[in-house]
Amino acid sequence: MNESLKTYELLRVQLISAFAGAREKAEREGQPVLAAVSVEVEPQTPIAMISALPGYDAQRFFWQCQTDVMVGFGATQTLTAESGQARERFFWCEQQWQALRARLWVEGPCLPRWCGGFAFDPEATTSELWRHFPAASLTLPRLMYLSQHGQAYLMVTHWVAADTRSDALACQLLNEWSQLLEKAEVISSAVEASTDYALQDCLDASLWKDQVADTIKAIQQGTMHKAVLARTVVMTLPHSVLVAEVLQQLSEHYPEAYLFAFERDGHCFLGASPERLVRLQQGQLETMALAGTMARGKTPSEDAGLSDQLMNSRKDRYEHQLVVNSLREALSPLCRSLTIPETPCVYRLAQVQHLLTPITGELSSEVGALSLVSVLHPTPAVGGLPRDIALRHIRAHEQMDRGWYAGPVGWLDSDGNAEFAVALRSGLLRDDKAYLFAGCGIVADSQPDAEYQETCLKLKTMVAALSA
């Protein structure tokens, strides 16, 4: 027996044993149970895997954050909030998740993870563009490759009933896994950028700048302290966009970012976000204030000069402090301890640099991960202050459907550990078109032309990845 057959047989035996245990639980309880089984496998190339089966069960998922990588295929179960529950979407998903926890059968070294995202504003007018991405959607993938700290695992999930044949189910899922590995294609990063594409503003630049000017006037009149305005551009390419190729480019150029992709029925929302919304691990939380932007320099000395300019910018430091103060106010009642440095640092990315303040804390009570997300989202970095007034202003003036752009995306496991990023530096791909999004924080000292140029800087992340 060769090595691959030995591996297959070992995995098959492990899965049969796990599904047999789940079947016994189903017999005892008189209802199907949700089996989540993880087994160790050989390390794979994650981005190659995402190229394997386009349209697998109409859903694919990719997530990469430093040493944590996930690639998911299909959907065993999905937690959603329909239009009637949109305003309570975090609570609604939390309730569904809690109900399913009692029916879980978990076996193996890894906990099952729900993966997905939330719309930026469930009360905003929605468009056809985002019809595959509801106000809330968290999916338990049917097959998921998970890599953590050099160890690789396959997690399979399936509903198991009292009459389920464990051997047949194990073979079926392992055959699907084998087909994925056979069809995975390593994507080359050795390509040059092309100029064979077209970019078009969805709202004329002069009109968008007028919106900024109106927002500045409202802030100066005391209506609010800050509002974030975003814009959309459409990038048309001479061919259909391949998700794996875009992810490869983003991974090469933004290794420190949250890399994500959610594909639904041929529509893919992906990006490389620099901003963590929250990481929760056994009651310890990590988040950040990220606001204030400057271009990168072409030389080390120019770059250092721009960094100093950013640190000494009254406008950017004020905008940043608004975010810090808001996070302190939101988190203090929930935490036993909260650590917030007094001075931000400069966070350098390939195209831009930001002011960043890392924030850590210890939760004081049993606060659910999604409840914590609901408290933090939207931060002033993507919404504004006061939050409700800024959101009403955005709905009335922005003239675009953000969908999942600037919303929380990430994962939640069966023990309540979670990690969510803010979906920035992102785009929605459909065939040969990419809808790209970028925004900036408007305060009293903002200038419309400068804010427009800031969005152009931020759009370069996705334009560069797509043009390659």
Side-chain angles (χ1 to χ4, degrees):
M1 183 181 294
N2 63 36
E3 200 62 35
S4 62
L5 286 177
K6 287 181 181 178
T7 301
Y8 180 94
E9 182 61 22
L10 176 61
L11 294 177
R12 189 181 73 85
V13 170
Q14 289 176 299
L15 291 182
I16 289 174
S17 174
F19 289 139
R23 187 183 61 201
E24 291 175 4
K25 176 179 171 70
E27 289 174 347
R28 290 194 305 271
E29 299 183 355
Q31 62 177 352
V33 301
L34 185 53
V37 184
S38 57
V39 291
E40 191 170 348
V41 295
E42 290 296 318
Q44 304 295 324
T45 305
I47 292 176
M49 294 181 66
I50 205 72
S51 71
L53 289 179
Y56 184 92
D57 276 10
Q59 289 203 38
R60 291 188 295 171
F61 161 74
F62 183 91
W63 175 270
Q64 177 178 301
C65 176
Q66 298 176 353
T67 59
D68 196 357
V69 183
M70 293 181 286
V71 189
F73 299 88
T76 298
Q77 190 72 26
T78 301
L79 311 180
T80 59
E82 304 301 336
S83 57
Q85 301 114 10
R87 296 188 65 179
E88 302 296 330
R89 60 209 172 124
F90 297 107
F91 171 77
W92 184 255
C93 286
E94 187 100 49
Q95 291 295 103
Q96 294 183 74
W97 170 71
Q98 292 288 0
L100 285 169
R101 285 183 72 186
R103 300 179 66 183
L104 269 176
W105 175 268
V106 181
E107 192 160 324
C110 303
L111 296 172
R113 294 185 177 187
W114 301 90
C115 314
F118 300 82
F120 172 78
D121 180 6
E123 296 185 45
T125 302
T126 58
S127 67
E128 176 68 13
L129 182 65
W130 290 97
R131 65 188 176 92
H132 294 286
F133 298 85
S137 179
L138 294 172
T139 293
L140 189 63
R142 176 182 173 88
L143 298 178
M144 186 169 76
Y145 173 79
L146 173 62
S147 177
Q148 293 177 300
H149 308 294
Q151 295 294 318
Y153 305 93
L154 165 66
M155 174 166 283
V156 299
T157 63
H158 205 281
W159 283 101
V160 173
D163 59 352
T164 296
R165 288 186 54 199
S166 302
D167 53 348
L169 178 56
C171 289
Q172 176 188 343
L173 292 169
L174 280 177
N175 287 340
E176 292 179 25
W177 171 247
S178 298
Q179 290 173 24
L180 282 172
L181 299 185
E182 288 173 6
K183 295 183 180 181
E185 298 179 7
V186 176
I187 307 298
S188 172
S189 60
V191 294
E192 295 182 2
S194 168
T195 58
D196 193 15
Y197 62 84
L199 277 178
Q200 181 179 2
D201 285 333
C202 288
L203 180 67
D204 185 79
S206 62
L207 295 178
W208 191 83
K209 292 176 187 178
D210 288 343
Q211 290 181 355
V212 175
D214 291 341
T215 302
I216 294 170
K217 187 179 299 182
I219 292 170
Q220 291 173 343
Q221 292 172 350
T223 303
M224 53 192 166
H225 301 298
K226 175 185 177 181
V228 177
L229 291 183
R231 50 187 283 257
T232 308
V233 300
V234 182
M235 186 175 183
T236 304
L237 294 114
H239 50 74
S240 293
V241 181
L242 296 179
V243 172
E245 292 184 356
V246 180
L247 287 175
Q248 181 64 39
Q249 292 298 315
L250 292 173
S251 180
E252 290 283 336
H253 293 93
Y254 304 94
E256 72 289 333
Y258 284 97
L259 209 61
F260 61 87
F262 301 91
E263 187 169 18
R264 311 284 178 84
D265 294 319
H267 299 64
C268 186
F269 179 56
L270 58 75
S273 176
E275 185 171 355
R276 167 184 287 155
L277 181 64
V278 67
R279 182 177 189 267
L280 184 60
Q281 190 74 25
Q282 297 180 345
Q284 304 295 314
L285 73 86
E286 300 173 28
T287 184
M288 63 168 64
L290 190 75
T293 304
M294 185 68 66
R296 294 297 304 271
K298 296 180 181 178
T299 65
S301 60
E302 182 185 5
D303 199 49
L306 290 171
S307 176
D308 290 341
Q309 186 179 333
L310 177 62
M311 283 292 289
N312 295 315
S313 165
R314 187 180 72 169
K315 179 260 182 186
D316 288 295
R317 289 294 291 269
Y318 171 72
E319 180 187 346
H320 184 83
Q321 194 61 42
L322 287 175
V323 178
V324 173
N325 293 345
S326 175
L327 290 172
R328 179 186 286 110
E329 182 179 349
L331 291 172
S332 292
L334 307 177
C335 294
R336 292 191 183 93
S337 62
L338 198 61
T339 302
I340 304 177
E342 292 185 3
T343 305
C345 60
V346 174
Y347 182 35
R348 293 180 175 89
L349 301 168
Q351 304 289 348
V352 296
Q353 46 193 328
H354 299 289
L355 293 177
L356 182 151
T357 297
I359 299 172
T360 58
E362 181 182 359
L363 290 181
S364 58
S365 60
E366 291 296 322
V367 180
L370 295 182
S371 298
L372 191 57
V373 171
S374 71
V375 169
L376 294 173
H377 173 77
T379 72
V382 293
L385 279 172
R387 178 190 287 186
D388 291 344
I389 295 174
L391 287 177
R392 286 199 296 270
H393 183 88
I394 291 169
R395 292 178 199 128
H397 293 85
E398 199 170 61
Q399 299 184 44
M400 64 175 274
D401 177 12
R402 290 195 186 188
W404 281 20
Y405 163 69
V409 295
W411 59 267
L412 165 75
D413 76 17
S414 59
D415 272 2
N417 303 306
E419 187 155 24
F420 283 88
V422 182
L424 304 176
R425 311 295 191 272
S426 54
L428 182 61
L429 313 184
R430 296 199 308 182
D431 300 322
D432 63 342
K433 287 184 169 51
Y435 298 80
L436 310 181
F437 315 98
C440 50
I442 312 302
V443 294
D445 292 341
S446 294
Q447 298 294 326
D449 286 338
E451 301 300 337
Y452 184 82
Q453 289 305 316
E454 181 177 320
T455 61
C456 292
L457 275 174
K458 292 173 177 176
L459 286 166
K460 283 185 177 180
T461 297
M462 288 300 300
V463 170
L466 286 158
S467 65

